[in-house]
Amino acid sequence: MVSAGPASAEPPPSAWAPLRVAAYRNLWVAMLVANIGTWMQTVGAQWLLISEPGASTLVSLVQTASMLPILLLALPAGALADSFDRRHLLIAVQFFIVAVGLGLTLLTATGRMPPALLLTLTFAFGVGQALTLPAWAAVIPDLVPRNLLQSASGLGSISVNMARSVGPAVAGLLISWTGVPLVFALNTLAFAFFAFTLIRWRPGTSRSVEVPERFTAALRAGGRYVRHSPIVQRLLLRALLFLVPGSALWALLPLIANQRLGLGSGGYGVLLAALGVGAVLGGLALPWVRSRLSPNRFLLLAGLVYGLALLVIALVRDEAVVLAALVPAGLAWVTVLSNINAEVQLFLPGWVRARGLAVYQVVFAGGQALGALAWGVVADLASLVVAHLGAAVLMIAGALTVRVWPLPDLRAVERDPATHWPEVDLVDEPDPSVGPVVVILTYAVRPEQKGAFVAAMEDVRAARQRTGAMRWGLYREGESTDRFIEVYELPSWDEHLRQHGGRLTKADQAAELRALSHADGAPQVSHLLPAQAGS
């Protein structure tokens, strides 16, 4: 059901409150500069292709080339960001982006930039973005208090969309005055500034990584967490239902400017600026909207607004009317995606945050990349009008599914770490790499509590599998009427120690306590190790 009530009775924090934190403020400004450079680079790349044969597909491929690396590399990047120092990782990646930017600038300035090479270097730039995003998103909850995290997410969207307002407009003017090479050069300087700011940043306390997880084990652990988390899956589904039709507007806007409205690069920049202005307004209004509308109600309204904007762009050839439609479209875009992003950040526990956010980035980039390519092909085979009408229908239909697949209510979900399990007492301490490991828990359950116990153990199953279990089963002992056996298998002893050491949350602890309330006392626990692991 779509709730109409307010999300919270408490007054929301100011949209600007996180900027009072000096470290967050400095990095936010640096990221804003980098985002402006990114949008200038995107506009420059698209404008170089606007007169090429098959321009509709080539222009949309710029966005695909930028986003596809995120689809391919975000999960490995998330594993790296959860396993190593995120600041050092971010600094190294920014220098790689600067090197790519120098190549783009020099080759374009010397006239050696055919479409294939341009898309290849755009892809390389996207690789840098793919390695940056999970680490940056995972750093934010360490920079601001938890109660400011949603405002910080909104400010992140404001940064992106201020860049969408400023970057394209500036790029359009520079292209008309001097050409594309200067646009690429300024983008390179923007990322050099971000790298310099990261070098100057000294975190007050270093993030505890303990012993880093092995890379492949970290990848598998992140995938298991998302696979066994229905809440994360629902958030990703809602993002995808908005992104796929919504990507048509961003991917095809240069063609709307050039072919439908007869505008040049400056006019295209103005259209993008209108979208960006709406998005900035959406970021500023986000705390107010959240305090007055339930997440599902405003998700429905934002989808309908964006769908109507797509209809206007498809059917109207008047620049002023299109500009007026782009402002609420930008507002709807940022309110939906900022809210979902903040919910993902708030829900994910710290040990898997970067990997979970990487999965979100895969959905975000994949929805835009594949959507952009699909709508570009539709525009080539049919027309721009047909592509926008199709996107509008899908957007409105997706918004209406909020009654079937609503956003989960996370206000009562406790995500702080819980270390309530007792220390493991074994005869010999095995090597962390030993595996697989089987954990067996034996419960005494009265017959009248059987149904309630089995039902409560479903939440325990999900917690075990999110935090490391490869397989899980619950069995009734045939020789008695009151004994149930829980068995689960982990890939290594290290994975089990990490369950003891902070992977579980207080919500997981509450699930265990609910199951134990139907049992007689605590379970008996035993650990099975491979026979060859003995001393």
Side-chain angles (χ1 to χ4, degrees):
M1 292 293 292
V2 180
S3 169
S8 173
E10 298 179 3
S14 164
W16 303 105
L19 294 179
R20 300 190 189 111
V21 181
Y24 177 81
R25 180 176 63 249
N26 294 337
L27 290 169
W28 183 85
V29 170
M31 181 57 85
L32 172 62
V33 172
N35 285 334
I36 290 172
T38 297
W39 274 98
M40 291 174 64
Q41 190 269 341
T42 298
V43 171
Q46 289 178 325
W47 209 256
L48 280 180
L49 300 171
I50 201 73
S51 59
E52 295 287 336
S56 295
T57 300
L58 284 175
V59 168
S60 63
L61 277 174
V62 170
Q63 186 169 347
T64 301
S66 298
M67 295 296 178
L68 190 58
I70 300 175
L71 186 64
L72 300 175
L73 299 176
L75 287 175
L80 290 172
D82 275 333
S83 301
F84 299 102
D85 186 282
R86 290 167 182 160
R87 173 176 169 270
H88 291 162
L89 177 63
L90 285 168
I91 291 170
V93 172
Q94 304 324 300
F95 280 118
F96 168 76
I97 293 176
V98 168
V100 173
L102 286 172
L104 271 168
T105 303
L106 294 175
L107 291 170
T108 303
T110 56
R112 301 174 181 176
M113 188 57 71
L117 180 58
L118 175 62
L119 292 172
T120 300
L121 290 175
T122 300
F123 182 87
F125 183 82
V127 169
Q129 294 284 74
L131 295 172
T132 296
L133 290 173
W136 170 245
V139 159
I140 293 173
D142 297 328
L143 291 172
V144 299
R146 184 178 177 85
N147 68 313
L148 296 182
L149 188 54
Q150 288 186 324
S151 294
S153 179
L155 280 172
S157 295
I158 288 174
S159 170
V160 170
N161 292 290
M162 284 178 67
R164 281 182 175 142
S165 299
V166 175
V170 172
L173 291 174
L174 290 176
I175 290 170
S176 63
W177 292 344
T178 65
V180 172
L182 180 59
V183 170
F184 290 163
L186 292 176
N187 175 52
T188 304
L189 290 175
F191 278 90
F193 175 67
F194 186 35
F196 175 72
T197 306
L198 287 165
I199 292 170
R200 291 185 60 214
W201 171 42
R202 293 290 186 271
T205 56
S206 60
R207 184 176 67 95
S208 175
V209 180
E210 303 165 345
V211 178
E213 294 180 68
R214 290 174 300 166
F215 182 73
T216 54
L219 274 179
R220 287 194 294 267
R224 273 196 305 269
Y225 187 92
V226 173
R227 191 164 61 252
H228 296 290
S229 177
I231 289 177
V232 173
Q233 291 172 5
R234 177 60 57 82
L235 292 169
L236 297 178
L237 174 64
R238 292 309 327 175
L240 197 60
L241 288 172
F242 188 85
L243 282 165
V244 171
S247 64
L249 193 157
W250 298 98
L252 300 176
L253 193 60
L255 298 172
I256 290 290
N258 183 259
Q259 297 179 14
R260 295 271 299 168
L261 301 178
L263 302 175
S265 60
Y268 170 49
V270 171
L271 294 183
L272 274 176
L275 262 177
V277 167
V280 171
L281 293 176
L284 294 175
L286 195 56
W288 182 89
V289 170
R290 258 195 307 260
S291 69
R292 286 161 177 79
L293 292 175
S294 72
N296 290 302
R297 175 59 60 84
F298 102 76
L299 186 66
L300 173 63
L301 293 176
L304 294 176
V305 167
Y306 201 99
L308 291 174
L310 286 168
L311 288 174
V312 171
I313 293 166
L315 301 174
V316 177
R317 304 192 70 159
D318 183 272
E319 180 183 354
V321 175
V322 171
L323 282 171
L326 289 174
V327 174
L331 190 150
W333 176 273
V334 78
T335 53
V336 169
L337 296 177
S338 293
N339 187 66
I340 294 175
N341 180 66
E343 293 293 319
V344 173
Q345 286 182 323
L346 285 167
F347 179 77
L348 290 168
W351 70 271
V352 76
R353 184 184 297 142
R355 280 165 284 184
L357 288 167
V359 175
Y360 172 77
Q361 293 295 340
V362 167
V363 171
F364 185 86
Q368 290 191 85
L370 300 178
L373 179 59
W375 297 121
V377 171
V378 170
D380 264 342
L381 296 178
S383 69
L384 285 171
V385 171
V386 170
H388 283 82
L389 288 176
V393 171
L394 283 181
M395 176 63 73
I396 293 171
L400 294 175
T401 63
V402 75
R403 295 184 177 275
V404 182
W405 300 310
L407 286 172
D409 186 353
L410 302 180
R411 287 172 291 175
V413 179
E414 180 55 68
R415 307 308 296 157
D416 290 334
T419 54
H420 56 287
W421 286 4
E423 291 291 327
V424 181
D425 185 16
L426 301 183
V427 175
D428 296 300
E429 182 68 21
D431 186 272
S433 63
V434 165
V437 173
V438 177
V439 182
I440 301 175
L441 298 93
T442 303
Y443 301 85
V445 182
R446 295 175 185 175
E448 65 270 18
Q449 295 288 335
K450 172 185 172 182
F453 174 78
V454 172
M457 287 297 289
E458 277 300 302
D459 289 336
V460 175
R461 173 195 59 77
R464 304 279 198 248
Q465 292 182 308
R466 281 196 300 269
T467 56
M470 300 185 296
R471 281 175 284 277
W472 182 94
L474 182 65
Y475 305 91
R476 179 177 59 83
E477 188 177 78
E479 290 77 16
S480 68
T481 59
D482 65 345
R483 291 168 70 84
F484 282 80
I485 314 297
E486 178 192 3
V487 181
Y488 64 93
E489 181 181 341
L490 301 109
S492 68
W493 182 244
D494 179 66
E495 290 283 337
H496 187 52
L497 290 180
R498 291 178 188 276
Q499 285 184 317
H500 277 267
R503 280 189 177 181
L504 297 170
T505 66
K506 290 183 178 178
D508 298 327
Q509 181 182 16
E512 291 181 22
L513 292 175
R514 284 193 298 272
L516 287 174
S517 69
H518 303 294
D520 292 336
Q524 297 178 353
V525 183
S526 59
H527 301 82
L528 304 186
L529 305 172
Q532 66 271 23
S535 59

